[in-house]
Amino acid sequence: MARDRFEKILQYFHYNDSTTNPARGDANHDKIHHVRPVFSIVQRRLVENYRPHKSVTLDKAMIPFRGRVSYRQYLPAKPCKFGVKVWQLADSSNGYVYQMEVYTGKQDTGREVGLAWRVVWDLTRVLSGKSHHIYMDNYFSSPQLYQDLLKDDLYGCGTCRLNRKGWPDALHKNCLPKQKGVSKLYQKENLVAACCECPAKTEGWNACRNKGPEVVENYNKHMNGLDHGDQLRMQYSTTRRSKKFWKYLFWFLFNTAVACSFILMRESVNHQKKSKTGRVKEMCQLKFRQNLAKQLVGQHRQKRRHEVLQKDSAGRSHWPTSMPKSRRCKLCSSRKIRKESKYGRKICDGNLCVECFEPFHVLSFTEE
């Protein structure tokens, strides 16, 4: 495809009918209505084609964007400081994205425990009752959330902020000694809070001594699952510059779908290639994308028609020159126009006007 044709298609590229979206201020107004069909298809396919392992990671991803959009975020601690947040639930072993939700601002859905609680609860509905282990950072963690997940046969693990409601009072900042290698666990029913050694007691929590919290090792092992997916998604990004955010969201969905497809190919036993010694040969993502592009294009390939002047067998170009005698122009004669010219080309066997020289040759080569 020519560059200009690609840019023209991209200029008029749309994914949904904007007239079907209710006006702003309406309760049914969808802020990502432009790409809602694509988002729904990708979301459904991600769930249908994969079953996650026991451990999953819940974290946020950023779509870089500095334009005007009402739900743009500013995160100074992130490499990408301006953009739109996307909550994601990914497999901790390979980074496969299983669930997504674009943060478009506050939702008018009635009373809720909090934004972090709602995000975790919404993304984990597809795993309800399946005994998965969900790892998250301190933005989402809270004792109340872990109790609710446990009632739903889901296990939560993550770092927790000391000012969270329900956190044991004996484990606040002033009670944490600086001695390394010493830890203490506080347990309340089925919840366990782990930190450094602290001799104080707190109401409802019982101190449990042990050699070291294994939960810390598990958290460090499984929490970086979403980072693997982000690396695959951003390694060969297809994003194009635009003033409209919904186009950035489309490219984000496209790159996520390709990265997850690559993960599925690696996980599938039927797609593994082995060497003569029986060693499994891993395919790189670049090779996978090249094969994917060929499959998408298929036989729909057409050579570009170059409007250039050909050369004769002697390698001489068809440049105009003075002819021995003025005669009627061949192109003008074919158009029933009587006009003479003293210019032409001997190998073309005829005279041509200077302005008719290029159209005559382009027409001749096109018909051939």
Side-chain angles (χ1 to χ4, degrees), residues 281-297:
K281 299 169 59 178
E282 295 186 1
M283 179 185 295
C284 63
Q285 186 180 181
L286 178 59
K287 185 65 176 179
F288 172 80
R289 285 178 175 265
Q290 291 175 348
N291 295 339
L292 176 63
K294 292 179 181 178
Q295 293 178 6
L296 292 176
V297 173

Side-chain angles (χ1 to χ4, degrees), residues 197-263:
E197 177 67 26
C198 180
K201 295 182 179 180
T202 183
E203 183 178 358
W205 293 82
N206 300 320
C208 311
R209 297 180 181 273
N210 64 348
K211 295 182 180 180
E214 185 180 355
V215 65
V216 176
E217 181 180 354
N218 293 334
Y219 176 82
N220 295 331
K221 178 181 178 181
H222 298 290
M223 186 55 199
N224 59 354
L226 189 58
D227 296 337
H228 297 327
D230 289 342
Q231 291 175 358
L232 294 176
R233 174 175 54 84
M234 300 174 64
Q235 189 174 7
Y236 300 100
S237 178
T238 57
T239 305
R240 299 293 183 270
R241 295 184 61 180
S242 176
K243 295 181 179 180
K244 300 178 180 179
F245 167 72
W246 52 269
K247 290 189 177 181
Y248 283 84
L249 180 56
F250 171 80
W251 296 119
F252 175 84
L253 295 173
F254 179 82
N255 292 325
T256 301
V258 174
C260 292
S261 301
F262 175 65
I263 295 174

Side-chain angles (χ1 to χ4, degrees), residues 128-191:
S128 177
K130 297 182 180 180
S131 303
H132 284 275
H133 294 189
I134 305 171
Y135 293 85
M136 62 196 78
D137 59 13
N138 56 20
Y139 178 81
F140 304 98
S141 296
S142 67
Q144 181 63 42
L145 172 63
Y146 292 149
Q147 289 179 349
D148 296 337
L149 291 176
L150 190 58
K151 295 177 182 178
D152 203 28
D153 195 19
L154 294 173
Y155 301 91
C157 176
T159 57
C160 190
R161 298 179 182 179
L162 302 181
N163 59 353
R164 290 292 190 187
K165 184 178 179 181
W167 183 257
D169 298 334
L171 300 183
H172 56 80
K173 186 175 181 179
N174 297 331
C175 296
L176 301 181
K178 298 181 180 181
Q179 184 179 3
K180 296 183 179 180
V182 181
S183 62
K184 195 169 187 178
L185 306 180
Y186 280 81
Q187 182 175 357
K188 179 180 180 180
E189 297 178 356
N190 292 323
L191 297 181

